[in-house]
Amino acid sequence: MTTAETLPGPVAADALKTVLMHEHVIVLDGEMRRNHPELRDEGNAHVDINMFVKGLTEGVADTGVRAGILKCALDESLTPGVERVMRAVARAHLTTVVHTSAPHTTGLVAQDVFRSEGVDPDARELDHSGDADELDYVRTLIDQGSHVGMDRFGLDLYLPGEKRIANLVRLLDEGLADRLMLSRDASCHIDWFPLGPREQVAPNWHFAYLRQQVLPALRRAGVGVGVEQITTMLVDNPRRLLTRGRPS
């Protein structure tokens, strides 16, 4: 029986339903806390477990979310430290997922590293690719065999939701559903911001946004047969990637 490895233990492949490949529960930045202890006020330091449970319950209701995997970050440039991590992950990989910066096209840099380490293109997922305003960059990543993360729905500061949906519809119309992963990159708590301002600046950045806004918009847009392409992105693609290379 093929399984996917998760934090609680292996999960049978056929038990994986909807999987959101890039989400967070709690984001705590160690560098921020070490360098700016004055920003660690009581509101930010307080961990309200009930708030997390409520946010997760409301956000993933009826989705059957199951799994996630380790990622490494590549923002504006490839520093020596990040490159060492990426190469170590590549050499040990069954599946390799990396944060990238679409405005700086660092997905192409990541592909160069993985290619030099012999990582199978089908084993790569390049996250935050959905921040790209123009799609030639995303198409290039896909043409080189990678899965791409359309995974910041709700973060309108990087790209408005209407543009994200329009871009996604175009990619789906081009028959690229089997290369796309959907998520929100959301969290119940992130200590980069005090409580309150995040909700004002990014009101759509929450766990329920994909289910409440994005999927209905895709269905209204008449994406192919609708359900099949959505299932491909949320069920089939993550299942294939998470169980890739594992014995059956």
Side-chain angles (χ1 to χ4, degrees):
M1 178 179 63
T2 304
T3 61
E5 292 300 320
T6 73
L7 188 60
V11 174
D14 58 5
L16 290 172
K17 304 303 180 185
T18 295
V19 177
L20 303 174
M21 289 290 287
H22 194 122
E23 305 292 349
H24 307 270
V25 179
I26 304 171
V27 178
L28 301 177
D29 189 326
E31 292 296 325
M32 177 76 75
R33 291 178 172 225
R34 281 190 290 271
N35 294 323
H36 298 282
E38 73 278 5
L39 300 180
R40 191 175 182 268
D41 59 32
E42 289 302 314
N44 245 349
H46 180 59
V47 177
D48 185 345
I49 298 300
N50 291 328
M51 178 181 70
F52 300 155
V53 172
K54 181 175 184 293
L56 287 170
T57 301
E58 292 177 352
V60 303
D62 303 323
T63 63
V65 173
R66 293 284 185 180
I69 52 182
L70 284 174
K71 304 174 176 70
C72 57
L74 179 56
D75 295 321
E76 295 186 14
S77 61
L78 183 62
T79 65
V82 170
E83 182 172 359
R84 284 195 296 272
V85 171
M86 288 180 65
R87 292 191 181 279
V89 170
R91 291 167 189 170
H93 86 287
L94 288 176
T95 297
T96 300
V97 177
V98 59
H99 294 66
T100 64
S101 169
H104 298 91
T105 65
T106 57
L108 300 174
V109 179
Q111 284 187 323
D112 287 342
V113 172
F114 295 148
R115 189 181 301 111
S116 72
E117 294 293 341
V119 177
D120 187 329
D122 191 53
R124 311 169 189 156
E125 182 186 345
L126 303 175
D127 281 356
H128 303 340
S129 300
D131 289 351
D133 189 15
E134 299 300 326
L135 290 179
D136 284 347
Y137 166 69
V138 179
R139 293 188 187 101
T140 299
L141 300 179
I142 292 174
D143 287 345
Q144 294 184 16
S146 295
H147 299 83
V148 297
M150 312 297 283
D151 50 36
R152 277 183 161 177
F153 282 101
L155 271 175
D156 299 337
L157 293 171
Y158 291 103
L159 194 69
E162 296 81 3
K163 179 68 171 178
R164 291 180 188 274
I165 292 170
N167 283 349
L168 179 57
V169 169
R170 288 172 61 191
L171 294 171
L172 291 171
D173 284 345
E174 293 171 17
L176 299 175
D178 65 345
R179 295 285 102 185
L180 306 175
M181 304 284 189
L182 299 187
S183 281
R184 300 149 304 203
D185 192 24
S187 62
C188 293
H189 173 77
I190 179 169
D191 69 349
W192 300 357
F193 311 101
L195 297 176
R198 183 186 76 161
E199 290 74 17
Q200 296 174 5
V201 173
N204 294 324
W205 193 26
H206 56 78
F207 285 124
Y209 183 73
L210 193 69
R211 174 173 54 86
Q212 291 178 351
Q213 300 295 329
V214 177
L215 299 184
L218 291 179
R219 296 186 184 103
R220 290 193 300 271
V223 176
V225 292
V227 172
E228 287 187 13
Q229 287 184 310
I230 291 171
T231 300
T232 295
M233 293 185 290
L234 288 176
V235 180
D236 300 337
N237 294 347
R239 178 184 291 165
R240 186 176 68 252
L241 194 65
L242 289 172
T243 60
R244 186 187 179 284
R246 301 189 183 279
S248 57

